Amino acid sequence: MVQENYRQIEARVAAACERAGRPREEVTLVAVSKTKPEEKIRQLMGIGVRDFGENKVQDLCRKMEDIAGDNRWHFIGGLQRNKVKYLVGSPVYLIHSVDSWKLAQEIEKEAQKKDVTVPVLLEINIGGEATKGGVAPEEAEALLLQMARLPRVRVKGLMTIAPPGKEEQNRAYFRRMRQLRDRLAALHLPGVEMKELSMGMTDDFETAIFEGATIVRVGTAIFGERRPGEPEWRA
């Protein structure tokens, strides 16, 4: 079941890229496996899936340890500073949710200790929602200028979670994200690539692709709705 779900989403990603006039390889499909059993991840690995997303540090660390393979693990949840030490130096491929100078400094400190560099995305609260993490769009440049001074933190682009709403509303948010990414990329800051744009989930990933997403994070449409007793989530 999970394999067929993934194939259907993959087909939709490919079709969205074609409609947008973009090569399929420009977009990474991350299977958001949070709260789901490891067996489902292994089933997807069996058909060649390598990009998986988790939103809790303890779940990500457990799965990285228990599941052998060359997976690319994405941390997509809110990251507390006291949990940074568990991710830095681990096989995590990309941290999507850096949204403050203090968090960036903590990542830099741990990276210095472990002699590694850490690829991250700057999280933007594009809808100005009090319940979500992320820096305000108008504050992104100032934070990025600070982060560019950290030799061990490598900013690869931006991430956002659009407010729940209709397609055209989300399209406007995604377009603003692309414009912000392009404006920040034009600064040509050392150590900053600004290539990635992580946006779009189960309900809106096709619109996000049309507006320039390079990473889409899909959970429910691949792994199914949550089971009784599981925490509520949406990706």
Side-chain angles (χ1 to χ4, degrees):
M1 182 67 174
V2 71
Q3 293 179 339
E4 181 56 31
N5 289 346
Y6 185 91
R7 290 188 179 102
Q8 291 177 7
I9 297 302
E10 166 57 36
R12 289 170 61 186
V13 169
C17 288
E18 184 175 1
R19 289 194 299 272
R22 302 176 60 191
R24 170 63 189 89
E25 57 268 20
E26 281 189 1
V27 179
T28 298
L29 170 57
V30 175
V32 179
S33 48
K34 54 187 181 182
T35 79
K36 298 302 177 179
E38 295 177 6
E39 178 54 32
K40 290 193 174 184
I41 296 175
R42 292 189 177 93
Q43 289 174 21
L44 290 181
M45 290 172 62
I47 59 171
V49 180
R50 291 294 176 265
D51 286 278
F52 295 96
E54 293 286 331
N55 76 325
K56 292 186 177 181
V57 171
Q58 60 269 33
D59 290 342
L60 176 58
C61 290
R62 175 175 52 80
K63 289 178 180 178
M64 286 191 296
E65 181 176 350
D66 292 348
I67 301 174
D70 59 349
N71 293 337
R72 302 199 304 183
W73 296 97
H74 299 248
F75 183 75
I76 63 175
L79 179 57
Q80 297 175 321
R81 297 200 302 276
N82 63 354
K83 299 289 182 66
V84 164
K85 60 187 175 183
Y86 300 112
L87 294 187
V88 173
S90 76
V92 68
Y93 175 74
L94 184 62
I95 298 173
H96 288 230
S97 49
V98 176
D99 62 356
S100 73
W101 174 233
K102 288 185 177 180
L103 178 56
Q105 286 179 301
E106 188 65 28
I107 293 172
E108 173 71 18
K109 183 176 76 173
E110 286 296 324
Q112 292 278 3
K113 287 181 184 177
K114 296 172 181 175
D115 193 23
V116 296
T117 58
V118 183
V120 305
L121 301 181
L122 180 57
E123 183 177 1
I124 306 297
N125 189 338
I126 195 64
E129 297 174 277
T131 58
K132 288 182 181 174
V135 63
E138 59 271 19
E139 298 172 359
E141 182 175 336
L143 178 54
L144 185 64
L145 288 169
Q146 289 180 301
M147 292 174 65
R149 305 201 309 264
L150 301 175
R152 300 283 179 161
V153 176
R154 297 286 189 238
V155 183
K156 301 295 185 180
L158 304 179
M159 179 272 239
T160 199
I161 301 172
K166 296 181 180 179
E167 178 181 355
E168 287 309 309
Q169 291 174 316
N170 286 355
R171 185 181 301 278
Y173 287 124
F174 294 147
R175 187 175 296 127
R176 285 179 59 197
M177 284 293 298
R178 186 186 73 241
Q179 293 167 347
L180 177 61
R181 189 274 310 270
D182 292 347
R183 180 170 64 80
L184 296 176
L187 298 174
H188 299 294
L189 298 173
V192 175
E193 291 187 20
M194 277 295 132
K195 175 185 175 184
E196 304 293 355
L197 198 51
S198 173
M199 60 186 192
M201 301 188 293
T202 285
D203 293 333
D204 54 19
F205 69 86
E206 288 154 311
T207 302
I209 289 171
F210 193 85
E211 294 300 332
T214 64
I215 301 172
V216 293
R217 313 176 305 269
V218 179
T220 301
I222 294 173
F223 290 97
E225 297 287 350
R226 67 190 182 104
R227 298 172 301 181
E230 286 182 337
E232 186 172 1
W233 61 279
R234 193 74 178 166

